[in-house]
Structure formats: structure tokens, C-alpha cells
Amino acid sequence: MPTLTFSEKLSRFIVNSVFMMLVWIAFTSSFATHELIVGALTSMIISYLSIRLFTCCTISIFNPVKIFYMIWYLFVFLWALINSNLDVARRVLTPSLPINPGIVKFKTKLTTNYSKMVLANSITLTPGTLTIDIVDDTFYIHWIDVKTTDPEKAFTDIAEQFEKILLKIF
Amino acid sequence: MSIMEIIGGTFIIIGSIFLFLGALGIFRMPDIYNRLQAGTKATTLGGMSLILGVGFLEPSWMMKMIIIIIFIAYSNPISSHALARAMYKRKRYPLILSEDKENMDAYSEVNPHEKEEVKS
């Protein structure tokens, strides 16, 4: 494991504490003072103890531009999720079962592990694709209806809409 | 019937329709990867919609339901990825219908196909 500098530790600590505090408020659903104090103490202790485990993001994640892109990503993702469900429904309900399965690959420009994980999860939930493995920067995708085996074209079809937003967030 | 009950009931019905379609997909698809495709997508949106419906019926639970929805959206794709990868490593290769069988399986460059061992 790489040793962390103090500023990295501090920024991770703040981000993790804020996220845990939000989860605490959502679970207790109350703004009473004693609840908030206990929640703040608990989330600080946990994020101090687990500072090496949660490596999602640095403090720059609170930049308003990035927050805007995150909300936009959420809507793009929800739209893709609904589309993929209608796609599954169409394939399942068609009597001839129109599938042409195969595995394609493409390369991504994302560098951090966390952003690759978000991209892989999004690909799994978009129409007709399922992430099988990530090896360094190559994604292996099971595609229910293969239109092209060329990596560049597959990238444009599957992942481009997500990656251009993720590059701005991470 | 209040308006919240109507909204909640609609979400629950939509969720159960998608869950049914996912089950039908698991029944109809020919091999494990296609089954996972149908199963993952339909259970994710179906489960999310159903839990959101419960949140509308009981508004004081809404924040907890949103936490559960985020958890489902996070963990469902990971589990399906783990299943698919494990199945490839166990030499259950995907069904390929098209003529061009060599190029359709790009993952074989990482995990070369082996002949199955003959049990004596």
C-alpha cells in the first residue's frame, strides 16, 4: 500500500465524514441536536479508522461544476436504465427471441479504479450489455446483439456517453 | 384513497411487471450470460421501482428507501459481473450464433479456451 501524505488523508477524511453524515441523517430522518452530535462523532471515528479503505474521491468532489455533472450523470443513467428494461422486455416478449450474443472489447481513457467501477456498473445496466471483466484499461463486454466487433466502434456505441461525463467528474 | 397511495401503487405495479419480465427472461434465454442480462436489468429497475412505491405509501420511510435504492443500484451490477466472470473461468463459454466465431469472443485472448478434461 502506498503511504498517504497528510493532505490526502485530510481530504479523504473530510469527504468520507460528510458522506457518512448524510447516510446517518437519511437513516435517522431527524434533525434533533443530540442525533446530529452522535452522528458527527460516529462518522468521524469511522472515517478515521477506515481512511485506507474508502478511496473514492478527494475533496475536489465538492466543486459545484462536478456536482452539476454528477446530477446530469444520474439522469443519463436513469434514462439508459429505463431504455434497457424496455429493450429486455421487447426481446423477451418477441416469440423468435432476437439475439446475436458475443463478447467485444474496448479501451477506456479513465485512470482511477473508482471511476472504472462506476463505468462498468453503468455499462451493465445499459441496453444489452454486461461487463465481464476489466483488465487494466480494457473492458470485456458481453453484448446481447453484437453490431460490431471493432473496439473503436463498440466504444462509441456502448460507453462514450458515460465516459465523457465521468472524465469531467474524476 | 389519497394521491400518495395512488402514486405508490402505480410504482409497485410497474416494479412487479418488470420483475415478472425478468423472470420470463431467465426462463426463455438460452445461456447463462443472456440470462444474467435479463435478470440484472429487470431486477434492478423492478426492485428500485417497488421500493420507491413502498416509500410513497409510507412517507416517513422515504429516506431509508432511497438508501436501499442506492445500495441496489450499486451492488446488483457487481454481483452479476462476478457471476459472469466466474462462469467464464469455469469454462462455460458463451453461446455464439453468428458465423464469425473467432472474433465474437474477445475475452478468449485473456482466458484461452481449453478442451474440457475427460473424466476417467
Side-chain angles (χ1 to χ4, degrees), chain A residues 22-23 25-29 77-78 81-82 84-89 91-97 99-105 114 117-118 120-135 138 140 142-144 146 149, chain B residues 18 20-22 24-26 28-31 33-34 36-38 40-46 48 60-61 63-64 67 73-78 80-82 84-85 88-89 94-98 100 103-111:
Chain A
L22 287 178
V23 172
I25 291 172
F27 267 128
T28 55
S29 307
F77 170 74
L78 276 180
L81 180 58
I82 293 168
S84 77
N85 274 275
L86 297 178
D87 181 74
V88 166
R91 282 183 210 283
V92 166
L93 294 176
T94 311
S96 60
L97 208 63
I99 58 173
N100 175 26
I103 296 178
V104 296
K105 65 168 180 174
Y114 193 80
M117 191 275 275
V118 173
N121 277 5
S122 308
I123 286 170
T124 300
L125 293 174
T126 48
T129 48
L130 175 76
T131 311
I132 291 187
D133 205 355
I134 307 171
V135 181
T138 312
Y140 293 92
H142 182 266
W143 202 352
I144 204 169
V146 176
T149 52
Chain B
F18 278 121
F20 169 73
L21 286 172
L24 193 65
I26 289 174
R28 282 203 68 194
M29 290 294 181
D31 77 335
Y33 301 94
N34 294 310
L36 273 177
Q37 294 244 13
T40 317
K41 293 168 182 49
T43 50
T44 308
L45 189 65
M48 282 159 82
S60 60
W61 296 354
M63 295 311 290
K64 296 186 184 71
I67 297 272
Y74 225 75
S75 62
N76 233 344
I78 294 178
S80 77
H81 145 76
R85 187 164 170 275
Y88 205 100
K89 305 238 166 188
L95 169 80
I96 288 168
L97 296 172
S98 85
D100 187 11
N103 290 325
M104 289 291 268
D105 190 354
Y107 196 43
S108 60
E109 70 187 22
V110 187
N111 288 283

